[in-house]
Amino acid sequence: MSQEAKILLITGIVQGVGFRPFIYKLAHEMGIKGWVNNSSQGVTIHAEGGNLDLFSERLRHEAPQRSRIQTYQINESHFKGYHTFEIAPSVAEHNAEVLISPDLATCDDCLVELENSKNPRYQYPLINCTNCGPRYTIIRDVPYDRVRTTLSDFPMCKFCTTEYQDPLNRRFHAEPVACPECGPKVELRDSNGEFVQGMGIEQLAQGAILAVKGLGGFHLVCDARSPEAVHRLRERKERGAKPFALMARSVAIAREEVDISPREEKLLKSPAAPIVICERRLKSSLPQEIAPGIHTLGVMLPYTPIHHLLMAGPFDFLVMTSANLSGQPLIYENEEAINGLKGIADYFLIHNRDIYHPCDDSVVQVIGEEAVFLRRARGYVPLPLQVATPVKTPLLGLGGELKNTFCMASGSRAFVSQYLGDMENYDNLERYYQELESFKRVVHIKPEALAYDHHPNYQLSQYARKQTLPKHAVQHHHAHLVSVLGEWNRTEPTLGIICDGTGFGADGRIWGFEVLYGNASGVARKGHLEYLPLPGGDAGSKHPLRMAYAYLKTLLTEEEWRVTEPFWTELSVQERKILDRQLLTGVQVFQTSSAGRLFDAVSGLLGICRKVTYEGQAAIELESSAFACKKGHKAAYPYEIKCENSQWILKVGEMFRAIMEDLYRGSQAGEIAYRFHITIAQAIVDLVLCGGNGPVVLSGGVFQNKLLTETVLDLCEEKGIEVLRSRMLPPGDGGISFGQILIANEVL
Ligand code: ZN
Ligand code: ZN
Ligand code: FE
């Protein structure tokens, strides 16, 4: 027998995905002796006494489906003469390289067991195995072992232990393994906290609203086919017009209501099981109130055994919306749910497997044949991104104010947190600080320097200033540009068109439609949308018609302005008085080049959205309105790009004049909205061509607009311009924390 021995060190997603059992089986099959263990570095194997080359070869090629090998090291070792191959206990070490798996949707094997009345886990609502179930959301620390998860309080019974210890079992070292005998329990309570029989299916069928504990937090659930239940939920949640997400029993059933492409189907069925934004079918019969005024529906498939059990009821679609009070963080604890959702939920389907990292559902939309994140959270976090220039000092990027994420990076890896909401809300900020601390343990990074948004008044800028660590303030749109470059591992200076809502500009104004050129080391502003007045700042942005008023009053001649009178009937005399005074004196008026505000103003002017009840509403409804007229007039409105002080300035006065003429003529709002999209898309491509012929980075929340983005992509393809877009992070503000750390890594 060969006296050769090798130590193999494997990093990546190799814990919680059935990696050790796989190694064990392979070693036994090939007659290899030694051991395997989990460490905070990853998986270590001592192998001897067999064909080690073939073993190593097969290991890499046959690794479990859910695992991802990042690095693979083989070193010579001393032959010890082992007689067996064992799974050795985990070793806790510093300098962790291990990657924690995101949470995984229930696998097919577990579903079969769930439905099999002879199986000990028949209808057990928390069934899981090495291929599925909770991961990130239950982990307190690494290495990933049961004692460091929220299952530490549930000693395994004999049956579970046997499976857990059997290398040939699907639950071999499945850390969250549980059964009705030993595991956490699910129970139904009424609004007084009293115990009720069943899972709540009958109650749902009668129109009740349930608070249901999922993987990352609670959902508010009702039968989506009941207009009364949907209406009640919307009223109780004080949600305005913000769309509700849906859970469909299957893809086939979802197809009755929305169009699903093969790409979308793959996303829906993936272990991450995100919400996928799909086009609503014309013959869709679900109540309009699920998603008022828009042409899409957010759909997902059941991803926990609880969901599957609920779907056994007489429902094909359930409304599944995050359980939080308007603008507040996601609720994830039982007590908090029962107290906080009083008056909203009629029943509570809870269990005592605690959630450690609250995590919202992820939301994606297929735009230009790529999945684009609108929100990145459950199912994706904490997967890392690779960093091209290694991070010397461990870094923390605090992120932006809205739709925040933070980012921690060390060495060649950057970890972006789950979506944490808007930081202007105090409770969200508290949740942010809580996650900041617990995330450090999961990714084993202790930041020694930090990067934050240049905006002087952001909550997190104030937090940053109080920290004693070395720090660097990053311009908002620079971070957007570099975030995308980072995803593509590009370091050379590149042109970027950044279209978003607001970001604090280097000149102290509010930027948002920017032509930038640069990389992590530096950036120059090459152009932008002309500055227009935003009365009342962020508060003003809730009133699209006021914005339209201010824009037109600034852009039109006095003569042209006089005939616009009929458009302002919905503004009160008082409102107009205030606006006129603000525009005259400039008090409380901010100059902005924001693309988001331009979409809002047009939406207000066309009467599509007059009052904003959720972020982005005016622009989203404008897109929906345009979408309905997609087959109409394809010509862009006129606009100008002027070179002023060696910057390209996009002027939109001519466009607004043409829009007014269409309105006087009685054109349909949707037709105008469609031509507006075409106009902006063409203007974007013209701005790109001002700087050469690419490549160009497209980033910012406005590129979550599918119609706009796909039009830009088509035009770029015609001109042969290479486009770089976000693939792993949202193009909106959820992606900027990654850009911040890349910039700080160059500058600090
Ligand atoms: Zn499973
Ligand atoms: Zn058990
Ligand atoms: Fe932004």
Side-chain angles (χ1 to χ4, degrees):
M1 197 206 282
S2 144
Q3 296 280 301
E4 202 189 11
K6 290 214 152 85
I7 285 277
L8 292 84
L9 178 62
I10 305 163
T11 69
I13 299 184
V14 289
Q15 294 186 9
V17 287
F19 209 82
R20 284 174 302 175
F22 154 71
I23 301 287
Y24 180 93
K25 275 184 239 176
L26 187 64
H28 277 258
E29 189 189 316
M30 296 185 61
I32 305 276
K33 314 290 182 217
W35 49 262
V36 53
N37 75 7
N38 270 355
S39 69
S40 39
Q41 305 246 314
V43 162
T44 313
I45 301 162
H46 176 100
E48 59 181 44
N51 186 341
L52 298 184
D53 291 336
L54 184 63
F55 176 65
S56 151
E57 182 75 21
R58 287 190 59 187
L59 199 157
R60 268 195 279 190
H61 285 104
E62 296 167 26
Q65 220 186 3
R66 307 267 190 255
S67 68
R68 277 187 217 184
I69 295 177
Q70 273 209 331
T71 67
Y72 189 89
Q73 266 181 49
I74 307 181
N75 293 313
E76 296 297 323
S77 187
H78 296 293
F79 183 82
K80 299 265 176 63
Y82 287 110
H83 294 292
T84 56
F85 191 93
E86 300 291 346
I87 293 184
S90 295
V91 215
E93 284 171 49
H94 298 292
N95 181 26
E97 285 291 317
V98 75
L99 295 179
I100 296 297
S101 161
D103 299 81
L104 305 164
T106 310
C107 74
D108 292 343
D109 292 332
C110 282
L111 278 184
V112 169
E113 292 179 349
L114 188 70
E115 281 155 23
N116 174 3
S117 60
K118 298 215 172 67
N119 192 285
R121 293 191 187 82
Y122 173 57
Q123 299 214 324
Y124 178 54
L126 298 167
I127 187 172
N128 66 78
C129 73
T130 45
N131 297 320
C132 75
R135 296 291 184 274
Y136 170 64
T137 53
I138 58 163
I139 287 170
R140 294 201 197 92
D141 207 342
V142 285
Y144 171 61
D145 271 320
R146 194 175 178 95
V147 288
R148 281 173 288 270
T149 71
T150 60
L151 277 125
S152 57
D153 292 341
F154 299 93
M156 280 181 278
C157 69
K158 235 171 139 183
F159 169 63
C160 286
T161 310
T162 321
E163 290 200 330
Y164 183 89
Q165 289 175 344
D166 175 5
L168 298 172
N169 193 284
R170 198 171 88 252
R171 292 199 175 81
F172 183 57
H173 282 260
E175 304 303 341
V177 70
C179 77
E181 186 63 31
C182 65
K185 302 215 168 8
V186 171
E187 55 187 42
L188 186 66
R189 303 275 187 96
D190 67 13
S191 53
N192 297 317
E194 300 293 330
F195 183 79
V196 183
Q197 280 296 335
M199 288 277 291
I201 289 174
E202 276 165 49
Q203 288 84 348
L204 273 177
Q206 283 158 13
I209 294 165
L210 252 67
V212 177
K213 193 172 181 180
L215 277 177
F218 277 83
H219 280 119
L220 286 166
V221 182
C222 74
D223 180 1
R225 291 275 178 208
S226 160
E228 297 78 24
V230 174
H231 180 70
R232 210 174 306 128
L233 178 56
R234 191 166 283 285
E235 272 201 335
R236 289 188 190 169
K237 218 187 156 194
E238 292 171 26
R239 198 178 160 88
K242 196 172 179 182
F244 286 138
L246 293 170
M247 186 170 278
R249 191 204 300 258
S250 67
V251 170
I253 282 174
R255 280 217 167 89
E256 292 168 13
E257 298 288 334
V258 293
D259 288 328
I260 298 173
S261 67
R263 184 84 182 78
E264 287 160 342
E265 178 167 355
K266 213 174 145 203
L267 283 162
L268 284 165
K269 289 178 168 169
S270 70
I275 296 171
V276 181
I277 306 291
C278 299
E279 268 166 38
R280 191 170 182 153
R281 299 187 62 176
L282 284 175
K283 58 167 218 174
S284 158
S285 59
L286 284 165
Q288 282 303 325
E289 216 181 334
I290 290 171
I294 60 176
H295 73 290
T296 54
L297 288 172
V299 180
M300 59 183 153
L301 295 180
Y303 61 83
T304 71
I306 295 184
H307 299 151
H308 286 283
L309 292 172
L310 286 177
M311 277 295 177
F315 328 104
D316 51 0
F317 285 95
L318 291 170
V319 166
M320 280 263 171
T321 182
S322 297
N324 57 348
L325 304 175
S326 210
Q328 302 256 338
L330 175 66
I331 290 176
Y332 69 101
E333 282 170 328
N334 295 340
E335 286 267 301
E336 195 192 3
I338 291 172
N339 297 326
L341 298 172
K342 230 186 188 114
I344 299 179
D346 302 307
Y347 295 92
F348 298 82
L349 190 60
I350 58 174
H351 58 72
N352 53 349
R353 186 180 75 200
D354 287 344
I355 294 167
Y356 193 70
H357 295 277
C359 217
D360 279 278
D361 291 317
S362 294
V363 185
V364 299
Q365 183 170 20
V366 175
I367 300 179
E369 269 136 63
E370 293 278 357
V372 172
F373 279 104
L374 310 191
R375 189 205 281 162
R376 182 179 176 271
R378 177 191 52 77
Y380 298 96
V381 176
L383 292 175
L385 286 92
Q386 289 295 307
V387 183
T389 315
V391 177
K392 296 144 251 168
T393 313
L395 282 169
L396 164 64
L398 294 176
E401 183 92 332
L402 299 177
K403 306 194 169 182
N404 173 286
T405 65
F406 58 75
C407 176
M408 291 183 194
S410 175
S412 61
R413 287 191 191 130
F415 298 87
V416 176
S417 76
Q418 68 268 37
Y419 159 93
L420 291 163
D422 298 344
M423 294 298 107
E424 53 209 9
N425 175 291
Y426 177 77
D427 295 305
N428 283 338
L429 201 58
E430 287 288 294
R431 177 68 54 85
Y432 177 94
Y433 296 136
Q434 172 191 322
E435 281 304 295
L436 205 57
E437 286 313 308
S438 59
F439 202 73
K440 284 179 194 167
R441 287 196 292 278
V442 170
V443 300
H444 246 276
I445 292 176
K446 198 165 168 263
E448 288 167 25
L450 56 92
Y452 60 103
D453 195 283
H454 180 228
H455 196 300
N457 300 331
Y458 279 1
Q459 295 294 336
L460 294 173
S461 308
Q462 294 173 28
Y463 167 83
R465 284 195 289 271
K466 282 188 236 144
Q467 307 302 309
T468 51
L469 298 176
K471 51 181 100 61
H472 181 66
V474 177
Q475 200 279 318
H476 187 92
H477 304 97
H478 186 202
H480 272 299
L481 168 68
V482 174
S483 175
V484 177
L485 288 177
E487 279 195 36
W488 287 80
N489 277 310
R490 304 260 180 128
T491 50
E492 67 277 22
T494 307
L495 191 77
I497 306 281
I498 317 297
C499 289
D500 73 350
T502 57
F504 191 75
D507 60 359
R509 290 175 170 181
I510 301 170
W511 292 10
F513 193 142
E514 305 303 316
V515 186
L516 303 180
Y517 181 80
N519 58 9
S521 318
V523 71
R525 192 188 199 194
K526 292 290 186 190
H528 59 90
L529 171 66
E530 66 179 303
Y531 283 123
L532 289 164
L534 179 59
D538 284 345
S541 71
K542 298 211 162 55
H543 301 275
L545 189 59
R546 289 188 200 165
M547 262 180 278
Y549 185 90
Y551 280 20
L552 284 180
K553 197 159 189 189
T554 308
L555 291 167
L556 300 183
T557 64
E558 237 173 275
E559 203 180 315
E560 288 165 335
W561 173 250
R562 248 175 276 135
V563 291
T564 62
E565 208 51 39
F567 293 99
W568 318 121
T569 50
E570 280 188 37
L571 293 175
S572 70
V573 179
Q574 184 64 15
E575 258 178 308
R576 286 188 64 175
K577 242 188 182 160
I578 295 171
L579 284 169
D580 287 338
R581 195 174 336 121
Q582 283 179 324
L583 290 170
L584 197 68
T585 60
V587 176
Q588 279 298 304
V589 175
F590 300 82
Q591 294 298 314
T592 184
S593 57
S594 163
R597 296 301 88 82
L598 181 67
F599 278 72
D600 292 350
V602 172
S603 185
L605 181 65
L606 300 184
I608 291 165
C609 177
R610 293 272 159 93
K611 177 102 179 64
V612 171
T613 58
Y614 63 91
E615 212 225 324
Q617 181 183 350
I620 291 169
E621 291 180 0
L622 184 72
E623 183 191 354
S624 280
S625 167
F627 181 83
C629 294
K630 223 174 151 182
K631 300 205 171 64
H633 206 322
K634 290 241 187 252
Y637 288 120
Y639 57 88
E640 290 170 286
I641 294 174
K642 281 196 173 161
C643 194
E644 290 174 7
N645 303 320
S646 42
Q647 287 187 331
W648 306 303
I649 310 298
L650 171 61
K651 302 265 190 183
V652 289
E654 287 306 313
M655 179 191 77
F656 273 109
R657 280 188 190 90
I659 289 178
M660 294 310 288
E661 262 170 40
D662 267 359
L663 281 170
Y664 295 138
R665 209 181 293 138
S667 300
Q668 259 188 52
E671 224 161 90
I672 300 174
Y674 181 70
R675 286 188 69 187
F676 167 73
H677 277 79
I678 300 288
T679 309
I680 299 304
Q682 206 169 93
I684 286 170
V685 177
D686 281 351
L687 284 166
V688 176
L689 292 171
C690 287
N693 56 355
V696 65
V697 165
L698 300 181
S699 186
V702 170
F703 289 108
Q704 296 173 345
N705 181 320
K706 183 174 162 104
L707 176 59
L708 176 79
T709 308
E710 290 185 345
T711 312
V712 173
L713 292 175
D714 286 348
L715 291 170
C716 284
E717 203 183 321
E718 267 173 41
K719 309 262 183 221
I721 301 166
E722 185 196 8
V723 175
L724 306 176
R725 293 189 292 149
S726 314
R727 297 174 292 185
M728 290 169 271
L729 295 174
D733 285 4
I736 65 171
S737 56
F738 179 55
Q740 288 174 346
I741 63 113
L742 296 176
I743 293 167
N745 191 38
E746 287 301 318
V747 178
L748 283 171

